[in-house]
Amino acid sequence: MITIDKQLRRYFVAVTVVAVLVIFLLSNIGMFIIFKNYVQESNLKKDEKILLYIEDLLNTDTATMPGLRRFLLGEAVVVRIYNTENQLIFDSNTQGIHGGMGMGIGNGMGIGNGMGSGMGKGKQGQGRLESDNISELTFRSYPLEVEGKSLGRVEIGRQKSLFAAPEDKSFALTMNLVYLVALVLALIASLLISKYVTKKFLTPLHQVKDNILSINKTDAKIQPVHTTTFEIQQLAQATEELAMNLKKQENLRKRLTSDIAHELRTPLATLQSHLEAMIDGIWEPTPDRLSFCNDEVIRLTGLIKDLNELSVLENNGMELRKEQVNLSELLKNLLDNYSLIFSEKAIQLTMNFQPQVTVLGDENRLRQVVVNILSNAYKYTPAEGDVSVRLFTEDKWAIIEVRDSGIGIPKEDLPYIFERFYRGDPSRNRESGGSGIGLTIAKALIEAHQGTLSVESELHKGTIVKIQLPKE
């Protein structure tokens, strides 16, 4: 394994080296191409200048070799002149004329031999190339014409290498040294930048790691992570939410254990006391006492059944028998049956149904949900209160809304009302509530229908329960 800072440092160095090398190669290739074109164009112009000078020189009666040699000084070229019979009559790299110094080149115009013998004793000009470098030259041939008459041809030889001149070699070397210095400076900069970048990214990441490791500690606190990087900030927030959810689930797990013990202890303790009294002969096993014991057993059985049903629902193990369900008729039949029960507490029950609202669902399970909500509305609405039930559609949803004027739910209890066995009543009196998992089952059933169940409530002002089901 390798740490992130080492990996980033390697990546920075690799990218820097590759970038400088690419720039170096492209620059050298571009420089070679551009310089080559420049040299070729420059040489053509120089060759044209030399050719024009030779033609002008031959137009005069005083054309001499020394004059031509003086002109070629510093040009770093070899000039050879051939007559129409392909005989070499002038070579700038030698002291004389090959094949006859006194041979003119037409119409009285020629290079005189009187001056040739003098040049044999002189020193080589600055523009003359050494004889051992002749093989490294490349010659370009041009026709030699004066007043439209062909007098032969001129060959101009130059070095094959583009960087033959010392100045050219110095320029190329200097440029490559600049790239080498740039590479060294870029490597130093990349190391410094990588150190800054790794510190900038790794510091919050280490904080997130410490927060994750501290989740298992009971007394540990999640430390805030300060970063301007969006993704790391999201990771830090997700870690904080995870820690909060795990702590919440741990608290709920502990409370669930306590709640299950409470729910089972009360009826079991009652059954035990009654049975012991009858076994010891303190009580006579009358039908009423046996019936009471049977009711407690039925209550325990119902609680276990609810727990099993909730477990199946939460594990997606329950199969819904879906069919077209007319919610308008379903609610009307239920409320007709409940109207007498509500009237016993003088609760005003009002109904407002949109006709022929149908959904695809399990009719028995939907009836179970509505019964649970109506039962809660009945339990927590005082005498002479109001309960209203509405059914309407909105976009692609069928909505059932049950509104009551009951005692309401405290704000701090609202987030937990769908948890198992949760009841905001501290006394946990069964007369003020059932087993505490009715709403949990109802929510799971609605979600199994791809719907939602939500509750809005305010203490002493009533509660609104809203069921949303997809119409199709």
PDB file of all heavy atoms in Angstrom, residues 42-57 68 71-81 90 92 142 144 154-158:
ATOM      1  N   SER A  42      16.569  31.577 -47.348  1.00  0.00           N
ATOM      2  CA  SER A  42      17.707  32.517 -47.280  1.00  0.00           C
ATOM      3  C   SER A  42      18.808  32.114 -48.254  1.00  0.00           C
ATOM      4  O   SER A  42      19.392  32.967 -48.936  1.00  0.00           O
ATOM      5  CB  SER A  42      18.234  32.550 -45.845  1.00  0.00           C
ATOM      6  OG  SER A  42      19.356  33.395 -45.759  1.00  0.00           O
ATOM      7  N   ASN A  43      19.090  30.816 -48.361  1.00  0.00           N
ATOM      8  CA  ASN A  43      20.131  30.348 -49.279  1.00  0.00           C
ATOM      9  C   ASN A  43      19.758  30.599 -50.731  1.00  0.00           C
ATOM     10  O   ASN A  43      20.620  30.946 -51.566  1.00  0.00           O
ATOM     11  CB  ASN A  43      20.391  28.854 -49.063  1.00  0.00           C
ATOM     12  CG  ASN A  43      21.137  28.585 -47.758  1.00  0.00           C
ATOM     13  OD1 ASN A  43      21.747  29.495 -47.195  1.00  0.00           O
ATOM     14  ND2 ASN A  43      21.083  27.354 -47.281  1.00  0.00           N
ATOM     15  N   LEU A  44      18.486  30.413 -51.055  1.00  0.00           N
ATOM     16  CA  LEU A  44      18.049  30.675 -52.427  1.00  0.00           C
ATOM     17  C   LEU A  44      18.254  32.143 -52.794  1.00  0.00           C
ATOM     18  O   LEU A  44      18.688  32.473 -53.913  1.00  0.00           O
ATOM     19  CB  LEU A  44      16.582  30.276 -52.597  1.00  0.00           C
ATOM     20  CG  LEU A  44      16.296  28.771 -52.652  1.00  0.00           C
ATOM     21  CD1 LEU A  44      14.786  28.517 -52.699  1.00  0.00           C
ATOM     22  CD2 LEU A  44      16.968  28.126 -53.868  1.00  0.00           C
ATOM     23  N   LYS A  45      17.954  33.018 -51.842  1.00  0.00           N
ATOM     24  CA  LYS A  45      18.149  34.443 -52.109  1.00  0.00           C
ATOM     25  C   LYS A  45      19.638  34.766 -52.250  1.00  0.00           C
ATOM     26  O   LYS A  45      20.039  35.575 -53.110  1.00  0.00           O
ATOM     27  CB  LYS A  45      17.521  35.268 -50.987  1.00  0.00           C
ATOM     28  CG  LYS A  45      16.000  35.195 -50.967  1.00  0.00           C
ATOM     29  CD  LYS A  45      15.430  36.041 -49.829  1.00  0.00           C
ATOM     30  CE  LYS A  45      13.913  35.978 -49.829  1.00  0.00           C
ATOM     31  NZ  LYS A  45      13.328  36.771 -48.723  1.00  0.00           N
ATOM     32  N   LYS A  46      20.463  34.134 -51.393  1.00  0.00           N
ATOM     33  CA  LYS A  46      21.903  34.373 -51.490  1.00  0.00           C
ATOM     34  C   LYS A  46      22.452  33.820 -52.811  1.00  0.00           C
ATOM     35  O   LYS A  46      23.314  34.437 -53.451  1.00  0.00           O
ATOM     36  CB  LYS A  46      22.621  33.740 -50.308  1.00  0.00           C
ATOM     37  CG  LYS A  46      22.351  34.443 -48.986  1.00  0.00           C
ATOM     38  CD  LYS A  46      23.070  33.745 -47.836  1.00  0.00           C
ATOM     39  CE  LYS A  46      22.808  34.455 -46.515  1.00  0.00           C
ATOM     40  NZ  LYS A  46      23.487  33.781 -45.390  1.00  0.00           N
ATOM     41  N   ASP A  47      21.973  32.609 -53.197  1.00  0.00           N
ATOM     42  CA  ASP A  47      22.415  32.043 -54.470  1.00  0.00           C
ATOM     43  C   ASP A  47      22.031  32.952 -55.629  1.00  0.00           C
ATOM     44  O   ASP A  47      22.810  33.154 -56.584  1.00  0.00           O
ATOM     45  CB  ASP A  47      21.786  30.655 -54.668  1.00  0.00           C
ATOM     46  CG  ASP A  47      22.381  29.622 -53.724  1.00  0.00           C
ATOM     47  OD1 ASP A  47      23.346  29.951 -53.015  1.00  0.00           O
ATOM     48  OD2 ASP A  47      21.859  28.493 -53.673  1.00  0.00           O
ATOM     49  N   GLU A  48      20.847  33.496 -55.561  1.00  0.00           N
ATOM     50  CA  GLU A  48      20.389  34.398 -56.626  1.00  0.00           C
ATOM     51  C   GLU A  48      21.253  35.654 -56.677  1.00  0.00           C
ATOM     52  O   GLU A  48      21.587  36.169 -57.761  1.00  0.00           O
ATOM     53  CB  GLU A  48      18.920  34.762 -56.378  1.00  0.00           C
ATOM     54  CG  GLU A  48      18.291  35.590 -57.481  1.00  0.00           C
ATOM     55  CD  GLU A  48      16.819  35.852 -57.222  1.00  0.00           C
ATOM     56  OE1 GLU A  48      16.197  35.055 -56.467  1.00  0.00           O
ATOM     57  OE2 GLU A  48      16.294  36.836 -57.763  1.00  0.00           O
ATOM     58  N   LYS A  49      21.633  36.120 -55.501  1.00  0.00           N
ATOM     59  CA  LYS A  49      22.504  37.303 -55.438  1.00  0.00           C
ATOM     60  C   LYS A  49      23.873  37.009 -56.055  1.00  0.00           C
ATOM     61  O   LYS A  49      24.429  37.824 -56.810  1.00  0.00           O
ATOM     62  CB  LYS A  49      22.651  37.736 -53.981  1.00  0.00           C
ATOM     63  CG  LYS A  49      23.538  38.942 -53.779  1.00  0.00           C
ATOM     64  CD  LYS A  49      23.624  39.280 -52.293  1.00  0.00           C
ATOM     65  CE  LYS A  49      24.580  40.445 -52.057  1.00  0.00           C
ATOM     66  NZ  LYS A  49      24.710  40.749 -50.620  1.00  0.00           N
ATOM     67  N   ILE A  50      24.433  35.818 -55.718  1.00  0.00           N
ATOM     68  CA  ILE A  50      25.734  35.432 -56.274  1.00  0.00           C
ATOM     69  C   ILE A  50      25.639  35.274 -57.789  1.00  0.00           C
ATOM     70  O   ILE A  50      26.525  35.734 -58.551  1.00  0.00           O
ATOM     71  CB  ILE A  50      26.219  34.119 -55.622  1.00  0.00           C
ATOM     72  CG1 ILE A  50      26.523  34.353 -54.139  1.00  0.00           C
ATOM     73  CG2 ILE A  50      27.441  33.564 -56.347  1.00  0.00           C
ATOM     74  CD1 ILE A  50      26.832  33.084 -53.361  1.00  0.00           C
ATOM     75  N   LEU A  51      24.565  34.648 -58.253  1.00  0.00           N
ATOM     76  CA  LEU A  51      24.400  34.430 -59.681  1.00  0.00           C
ATOM     77  C   LEU A  51      24.271  35.754 -60.424  1.00  0.00           C
ATOM     78  O   LEU A  51      24.863  35.944 -61.496  1.00  0.00           O
ATOM     79  CB  LEU A  51      23.175  33.548 -59.926  1.00  0.00           C
ATOM     80  CG  LEU A  51      22.991  32.998 -61.334  1.00  0.00           C
ATOM     81  CD1 LEU A  51      24.176  32.100 -61.716  1.00  0.00           C
ATOM     82  CD2 LEU A  51      21.687  32.213 -61.447  1.00  0.00           C
ATOM     83  N   LEU A  52      23.550  36.679 -59.876  1.00  0.00           N
ATOM     84  CA  LEU A  52      23.407  37.991 -60.506  1.00  0.00           C
ATOM     85  C   LEU A  52      24.747  38.737 -60.545  1.00  0.00           C
ATOM     86  O   LEU A  52      25.066  39.423 -61.511  1.00  0.00           O
ATOM     87  CB  LEU A  52      22.356  38.829 -59.761  1.00  0.00           C
ATOM     88  CG  LEU A  52      20.899  38.405 -59.948  1.00  0.00           C
ATOM     89  CD1 LEU A  52      19.995  39.239 -59.047  1.00  0.00           C
ATOM     90  CD2 LEU A  52      20.483  38.590 -61.414  1.00  0.00           C
ATOM     91  N   TYR A  53      25.530  38.585 -59.456  1.00  0.00           N
ATOM     92  CA  TYR A  53      26.828  39.256 -59.436  1.00  0.00           C
ATOM     93  C   TYR A  53      27.733  38.692 -60.521  1.00  0.00           C
ATOM     94  O   TYR A  53      28.436  39.440 -61.215  1.00  0.00           O
ATOM     95  CB  TYR A  53      27.481  39.078 -58.065  1.00  0.00           C
ATOM     96  CG  TYR A  53      28.830  39.731 -57.970  1.00  0.00           C
ATOM     97  CD1 TYR A  53      28.944  41.096 -57.686  1.00  0.00           C
ATOM     98  CD2 TYR A  53      30.001  39.001 -58.192  1.00  0.00           C
ATOM     99  CE1 TYR A  53      30.180  41.698 -57.616  1.00  0.00           C
ATOM    100  CE2 TYR A  53      31.235  39.609 -58.133  1.00  0.00           C
ATOM    101  CZ  TYR A  53      31.329  40.966 -57.831  1.00  0.00           C
ATOM    102  OH  TYR A  53      32.566  41.569 -57.771  1.00  0.00           O
ATOM    103  N   ILE A  54      27.721  37.343 -60.682  1.00  0.00           N
ATOM    104  CA  ILE A  54      28.566  36.721 -61.719  1.00  0.00           C
ATOM    105  C   ILE A  54      28.125  37.192 -63.099  1.00  0.00           C
ATOM    106  O   ILE A  54      28.961  37.539 -63.967  1.00  0.00           O
ATOM    107  CB  ILE A  54      28.506  35.193 -61.613  1.00  0.00           C
ATOM    108  CG1 ILE A  54      29.156  34.733 -60.298  1.00  0.00           C
ATOM    109  CG2 ILE A  54      29.201  34.536 -62.794  1.00  0.00           C
ATOM    110  CD1 ILE A  54      29.011  33.242 -60.035  1.00  0.00           C
ATOM    111  N   GLU A  55      26.819  37.239 -63.338  1.00  0.00           N
ATOM    112  CA  GLU A  55      26.320  37.674 -64.647  1.00  0.00           C
ATOM    113  C   GLU A  55      26.689  39.136 -64.901  1.00  0.00           C
ATOM    114  O   GLU A  55      27.083  39.505 -66.016  1.00  0.00           O
ATOM    115  CB  GLU A  55      24.820  37.468 -64.719  1.00  0.00           C
ATOM    116  CG  GLU A  55      24.413  35.989 -64.758  1.00  0.00           C
ATOM    117  CD  GLU A  55      22.898  35.804 -64.761  1.00  0.00           C
ATOM    118  OE1 GLU A  55      22.186  36.815 -64.574  1.00  0.00           O
ATOM    119  OE2 GLU A  55      22.443  34.660 -64.942  1.00  0.00           O
ATOM    120  N   ASP A  56      26.570  39.975 -63.866  1.00  0.00           N
ATOM    121  CA  ASP A  56      26.957  41.386 -64.026  1.00  0.00           C
ATOM    122  C   ASP A  56      28.451  41.514 -64.255  1.00  0.00           C
ATOM    123  O   ASP A  56      28.920  42.357 -65.029  1.00  0.00           O
ATOM    124  CB  ASP A  56      26.554  42.189 -62.787  1.00  0.00           C
ATOM    125  CG  ASP A  56      25.049  42.341 -62.682  1.00  0.00           C
ATOM    126  OD1 ASP A  56      24.356  42.163 -63.709  1.00  0.00           O
ATOM    127  OD2 ASP A  56      24.541  42.614 -61.558  1.00  0.00           O
ATOM    128  N   LEU A  57      29.196  40.656 -63.557  1.00  0.00           N
ATOM    129  CA  LEU A  57      30.645  40.707 -63.703  1.00  0.00           C
ATOM    130  C   LEU A  57      31.073  40.335 -65.124  1.00  0.00           C
ATOM    131  O   LEU A  57      31.972  40.944 -65.701  1.00  0.00           O
ATOM    132  CB  LEU A  57      31.298  39.761 -62.681  1.00  0.00           C
ATOM    133  CG  LEU A  57      32.821  39.801 -62.594  1.00  0.00           C
ATOM    134  CD1 LEU A  57      33.296  41.169 -62.087  1.00  0.00           C
ATOM    135  CD2 LEU A  57      33.323  38.693 -61.660  1.00  0.00           C
ATOM    136  N   LEU A  68      35.823  38.348 -58.131  1.00  0.00           N
ATOM    137  CA  LEU A  68      34.808  37.360 -57.742  1.00  0.00           C
ATOM    138  C   LEU A  68      35.141  36.744 -56.384  1.00  0.00           C
ATOM    139  O   LEU A  68      34.258  36.526 -55.559  1.00  0.00           O
ATOM    140  CB  LEU A  68      34.720  36.277 -58.824  1.00  0.00           C
ATOM    141  CG  LEU A  68      33.677  35.174 -58.585  1.00  0.00           C
ATOM    142  CD1 LEU A  68      32.298  35.772 -58.390  1.00  0.00           C
ATOM    143  CD2 LEU A  68      33.684  34.184 -59.748  1.00  0.00           C
ATOM    144  N   PHE A  71      34.237  39.025 -53.604  1.00  0.00           N
ATOM    145  CA  PHE A  71      32.787  39.051 -53.393  1.00  0.00           C
ATOM    146  C   PHE A  71      32.310  37.857 -52.559  1.00  0.00           C
ATOM    147  O   PHE A  71      31.376  37.953 -51.778  1.00  0.00           O
ATOM    148  CB  PHE A  71      32.065  39.063 -54.756  1.00  0.00           C
ATOM    149  CG  PHE A  71      30.570  38.988 -54.629  1.00  0.00           C
ATOM    150  CD1 PHE A  71      29.819  40.087 -54.237  1.00  0.00           C
ATOM    151  CD2 PHE A  71      29.901  37.795 -54.890  1.00  0.00           C
ATOM    152  CE1 PHE A  71      28.454  40.001 -54.133  1.00  0.00           C
ATOM    153  CE2 PHE A  71      28.529  37.704 -54.786  1.00  0.00           C
ATOM    154  CZ  PHE A  71      27.792  38.800 -54.398  1.00  0.00           C
ATOM    155  N   LEU A  72      32.995  36.702 -52.748  1.00  0.00           N
ATOM    156  CA  LEU A  72      32.555  35.477 -52.070  1.00  0.00           C
ATOM    157  C   LEU A  72      33.085  35.339 -50.655  1.00  0.00           C
ATOM    158  O   LEU A  72      32.759  34.381 -49.962  1.00  0.00           O
ATOM    159  CB  LEU A  72      32.974  34.245 -52.885  1.00  0.00           C
ATOM    160  CG  LEU A  72      32.317  34.112 -54.262  1.00  0.00           C
ATOM    161  CD1 LEU A  72      32.896  32.913 -54.996  1.00  0.00           C
ATOM    162  CD2 LEU A  72      30.807  33.994 -54.122  1.00  0.00           C
ATOM    163  N   LEU A  73      33.970  36.289 -50.223  1.00  0.00           N
ATOM    164  CA  LEU A  73      34.509  36.225 -48.872  1.00  0.00           C
ATOM    165  C   LEU A  73      33.376  36.289 -47.841  1.00  0.00           C
ATOM    166  O   LEU A  73      32.486  37.144 -47.916  1.00  0.00           O
ATOM    167  CB  LEU A  73      35.486  37.384 -48.630  1.00  0.00           C
ATOM    168  CG  LEU A  73      36.838  37.292 -49.341  1.00  0.00           C
ATOM    169  CD1 LEU A  73      37.669  38.552 -49.077  1.00  0.00           C
ATOM    170  CD2 LEU A  73      37.592  36.053 -48.902  1.00  0.00           C
ATOM    171  N   GLY A  74      33.413  35.417 -46.836  1.00  0.00           N
ATOM    172  CA  GLY A  74      32.407  35.424 -45.764  1.00  0.00           C
ATOM    173  C   GLY A  74      31.109  34.746 -46.105  1.00  0.00           C
ATOM    174  O   GLY A  74      30.203  34.667 -45.259  1.00  0.00           O
ATOM    175  N   GLU A  75      30.931  34.266 -47.359  1.00  0.00           N
ATOM    176  CA  GLU A  75      29.680  33.620 -47.752  1.00  0.00           C
ATOM    177  C   GLU A  75      29.619  32.158 -47.340  1.00  0.00           C
ATOM    178  O   GLU A  75      28.562  31.553 -47.343  1.00  0.00           O
ATOM    179  CB  GLU A  75      29.487  33.711 -49.271  1.00  0.00           C
ATOM    180  CG  GLU A  75      29.256  35.101 -49.784  1.00  0.00           C
ATOM    181  CD  GLU A  75      27.912  35.664 -49.324  1.00  0.00           C
ATOM    182  OE1 GLU A  75      26.990  34.864 -49.057  1.00  0.00           O
ATOM    183  OE2 GLU A  75      27.789  36.901 -49.224  1.00  0.00           O
ATOM    184  N   ALA A  76      30.746  31.533 -47.002  1.00  0.00           N
ATOM    185  CA  ALA A  76      30.803  30.116 -46.599  1.00  0.00           C
ATOM    186  C   ALA A  76      30.170  29.228 -47.652  1.00  0.00           C
ATOM    187  O   ALA A  76      29.388  28.327 -47.365  1.00  0.00           O
ATOM    188  CB  ALA A  76      30.120  29.905 -45.254  1.00  0.00           C
ATOM    189  N   VAL A  77      30.531  29.493 -48.913  1.00  0.00           N
ATOM    190  CA  VAL A  77      30.022  28.689 -50.018  1.00  0.00           C
ATOM    191  C   VAL A  77      31.186  28.337 -50.941  1.00  0.00           C
ATOM    192  O   VAL A  77      32.252  28.963 -50.904  1.00  0.00           O
ATOM    193  CB  VAL A  77      28.931  29.422 -50.823  1.00  0.00           C
ATOM    194  CG1 VAL A  77      27.703  29.650 -49.972  1.00  0.00           C
ATOM    195  CG2 VAL A  77      29.468  30.743 -51.404  1.00  0.00           C
ATOM    196  N   VAL A  78      30.986  27.327 -51.750  1.00  0.00           N
ATOM    197  CA  VAL A  78      31.922  26.968 -52.820  1.00  0.00           C
ATOM    198  C   VAL A  78      31.223  27.207 -54.140  1.00  0.00           C
ATOM    199  O   VAL A  78      30.118  26.688 -54.357  1.00  0.00           O
ATOM    200  CB  VAL A  78      32.362  25.504 -52.702  1.00  0.00           C
ATOM    201  CG1 VAL A  78      33.196  25.106 -53.926  1.00  0.00           C
ATOM    202  CG2 VAL A  78      33.173  25.302 -51.418  1.00  0.00           C
ATOM    203  N   VAL A  79      31.842  28.031 -54.990  1.00  0.00           N
ATOM    204  CA  VAL A  79      31.245  28.357 -56.290  1.00  0.00           C
ATOM    205  C   VAL A  79      32.125  27.751 -57.381  1.00  0.00           C
ATOM    206  O   VAL A  79      33.354  27.963 -57.389  1.00  0.00           O
ATOM    207  CB  VAL A  79      31.116  29.873 -56.486  1.00  0.00           C
ATOM    208  CG1 VAL A  79      30.588  30.192 -57.879  1.00  0.00           C
ATOM    209  CG2 VAL A  79      30.213  30.460 -55.411  1.00  0.00           C
ATOM    210  N   ARG A  80      31.506  27.017 -58.275  1.00  0.00           N
ATOM    211  CA  ARG A  80      32.192  26.430 -59.422  1.00  0.00           C
ATOM    212  C   ARG A  80      31.501  26.892 -60.693  1.00  0.00           C
ATOM    213  O   ARG A  80      30.261  26.839 -60.763  1.00  0.00           O
ATOM    214  CB  ARG A  80      32.172  24.905 -59.346  1.00  0.00           C
ATOM    215  CG  ARG A  80      32.952  24.339 -58.167  1.00  0.00           C
ATOM    216  CD  ARG A  80      32.730  22.844 -58.044  1.00  0.00           C
ATOM    217  NE  ARG A  80      33.506  22.266 -56.943  1.00  0.00           N
ATOM    218  CZ  ARG A  80      33.397  21.000 -56.542  1.00  0.00           C
ATOM    219  NH1 ARG A  80      32.539  20.180 -57.170  1.00  0.00           N
ATOM    220  NH2 ARG A  80      34.114  20.564 -55.540  1.00  0.00           N
ATOM    221  N   ILE A  81      32.288  27.325 -61.661  1.00  0.00           N
ATOM    222  CA  ILE A  81      31.729  27.791 -62.932  1.00  0.00           C
ATOM    223  C   ILE A  81      32.215  26.868 -64.039  1.00  0.00           C
ATOM    224  O   ILE A  81      33.417  26.579 -64.152  1.00  0.00           O
ATOM    225  CB  ILE A  81      32.151  29.243 -63.234  1.00  0.00           C
ATOM    226  CG1 ILE A  81      31.714  30.172 -62.086  1.00  0.00           C
ATOM    227  CG2 ILE A  81      31.560  29.720 -64.551  1.00  0.00           C
ATOM    228  CD1 ILE A  81      32.171  31.609 -62.268  1.00  0.00           C
ATOM    229  N   PHE A  90      36.343  27.795 -63.083  1.00  0.00           N
ATOM    230  CA  PHE A  90      36.537  28.577 -61.846  1.00  0.00           C
ATOM    231  C   PHE A  90      36.064  27.733 -60.670  1.00  0.00           C
ATOM    232  O   PHE A  90      35.001  27.114 -60.702  1.00  0.00           O
ATOM    233  CB  PHE A  90      35.749  29.892 -61.899  1.00  0.00           C
ATOM    234  CG  PHE A  90      35.865  30.691 -60.619  1.00  0.00           C
ATOM    235  CD1 PHE A  90      36.983  31.486 -60.379  1.00  0.00           C
ATOM    236  CD2 PHE A  90      34.874  30.621 -59.644  1.00  0.00           C
ATOM    237  CE1 PHE A  90      37.094  32.214 -59.200  1.00  0.00           C
ATOM    238  CE2 PHE A  90      34.987  31.352 -58.476  1.00  0.00           C
ATOM    239  CZ  PHE A  90      36.103  32.154 -58.236  1.00  0.00           C
ATOM    240  N   SER A  92      36.052  28.395 -56.428  1.00  0.00           N
ATOM    241  CA  SER A  92      36.391  29.328 -55.347  1.00  0.00           C
ATOM    242  C   SER A  92      37.185  28.668 -54.240  1.00  0.00           C
ATOM    243  O   SER A  92      37.752  29.355 -53.384  1.00  0.00           O
ATOM    244  CB  SER A  92      35.111  29.928 -54.752  1.00  0.00           C
ATOM    245  OG  SER A  92      34.319  28.908 -54.149  1.00  0.00           O
ATOM    246  N   TYR A 142      22.845  26.132 -61.358  1.00  0.00           N
ATOM    247  CA  TYR A 142      22.056  27.204 -61.973  1.00  0.00           C
ATOM    248  C   TYR A 142      22.610  27.467 -63.379  1.00  0.00           C
ATOM    249  O   TYR A 142      23.836  27.457 -63.577  1.00  0.00           O
ATOM    250  CB  TYR A 142      22.138  28.497 -61.165  1.00  0.00           C
ATOM    251  CG  TYR A 142      21.632  28.369 -59.747  1.00  0.00           C
ATOM    252  CD1 TYR A 142      22.528  28.082 -58.712  1.00  0.00           C
ATOM    253  CD2 TYR A 142      20.287  28.543 -59.448  1.00  0.00           C
ATOM    254  CE1 TYR A 142      22.080  27.973 -57.412  1.00  0.00           C
ATOM    255  CE2 TYR A 142      19.842  28.435 -58.151  1.00  0.00           C
ATOM    256  CZ  TYR A 142      20.727  28.152 -57.127  1.00  0.00           C
ATOM    257  OH  TYR A 142      20.275  28.046 -55.844  1.00  0.00           O
ATOM    258  N   LEU A 144      23.932  29.653 -66.465  1.00  0.00           N
ATOM    259  CA  LEU A 144      24.620  30.938 -66.550  1.00  0.00           C
ATOM    260  C   LEU A 144      24.336  31.541 -67.921  1.00  0.00           C
ATOM    261  O   LEU A 144      24.725  31.000 -68.940  1.00  0.00           O
ATOM    262  CB  LEU A 144      26.125  30.744 -66.343  1.00  0.00           C
ATOM    263  CG  LEU A 144      26.989  32.001 -66.388  1.00  0.00           C
ATOM    264  CD1 LEU A 144      26.570  32.978 -65.298  1.00  0.00           C
ATOM    265  CD2 LEU A 144      28.478  31.633 -66.230  1.00  0.00           C
ATOM    266  N   VAL A 154      26.564  27.400 -63.252  1.00  0.00           N
ATOM    267  CA  VAL A 154      27.212  27.740 -61.986  1.00  0.00           C
ATOM    268  C   VAL A 154      26.710  26.777 -60.913  1.00  0.00           C
ATOM    269  O   VAL A 154      25.496  26.553 -60.785  1.00  0.00           O
ATOM    270  CB  VAL A 154      26.911  29.184 -61.558  1.00  0.00           C
ATOM    271  CG1 VAL A 154      27.535  29.477 -60.199  1.00  0.00           C
ATOM    272  CG2 VAL A 154      27.412  30.156 -62.603  1.00  0.00           C
ATOM    273  N   GLU A 155      27.615  26.181 -60.153  1.00  0.00           N
ATOM    274  CA  GLU A 155      27.252  25.317 -59.026  1.00  0.00           C
ATOM    275  C   GLU A 155      27.660  26.014 -57.735  1.00  0.00           C
ATOM    276  O   GLU A 155      28.792  26.472 -57.595  1.00  0.00           O
ATOM    277  CB  GLU A 155      27.949  23.953 -59.129  1.00  0.00           C
ATOM    278  CG  GLU A 155      27.378  23.070 -60.228  1.00  0.00           C
ATOM    279  CD  GLU A 155      28.004  21.675 -60.208  1.00  0.00           C
ATOM    280  OE1 GLU A 155      28.964  21.490 -59.418  1.00  0.00           O
ATOM    281  OE2 GLU A 155      27.545  20.804 -60.943  1.00  0.00           O
ATOM    282  N   ILE A 156      26.696  26.097 -56.826  1.00  0.00           N
ATOM    283  CA  ILE A 156      26.934  26.734 -55.525  1.00  0.00           C
ATOM    284  C   ILE A 156      26.765  25.668 -54.450  1.00  0.00           C
ATOM    285  O   ILE A 156      25.700  25.048 -54.326  1.00  0.00           O
ATOM    286  CB  ILE A 156      25.976  27.908 -55.285  1.00  0.00           C
ATOM    287  CG1 ILE A 156      26.128  28.953 -56.415  1.00  0.00           C
ATOM    288  CG2 ILE A 156      26.226  28.548 -53.926  1.00  0.00           C
ATOM    289  CD1 ILE A 156      25.150  30.112 -56.312  1.00  0.00           C
ATOM    290  N   GLY A 157      27.813  25.408 -53.701  1.00  0.00           N
ATOM    291  CA  GLY A 157      27.793  24.373 -52.664  1.00  0.00           C
ATOM    292  C   GLY A 157      27.734  24.962 -51.269  1.00  0.00           C
ATOM    293  O   GLY A 157      28.421  25.938 -50.961  1.00  0.00           O
ATOM    294  N   ARG A 158      26.890  24.358 -50.399  1.00  0.00           N
ATOM    295  CA  ARG A 158      26.766  24.786 -49.003  1.00  0.00           C
ATOM    296  C   ARG A 158      26.807  23.569 -48.098  1.00  0.00           C
ATOM    297  O   ARG A 158      26.599  22.440 -48.545  1.00  0.00           O
ATOM    298  CB  ARG A 158      25.450  25.549 -48.778  1.00  0.00           C
ATOM    299  CG  ARG A 158      25.346  26.833 -49.604  1.00  0.00           C
ATOM    300  CD  ARG A 158      24.013  27.530 -49.316  1.00  0.00           C
ATOM    301  NE  ARG A 158      23.882  28.739 -50.095  1.00  0.00           N
ATOM    302  CZ  ARG A 158      24.387  29.922 -49.737  1.00  0.00           C
ATOM    303  NH1 ARG A 158      25.041  30.042 -48.580  1.00  0.00           N
ATOM    304  NH2 ARG A 158      24.230  30.983 -50.490  1.00  0.00           N
TER     305      ARG A 158
END
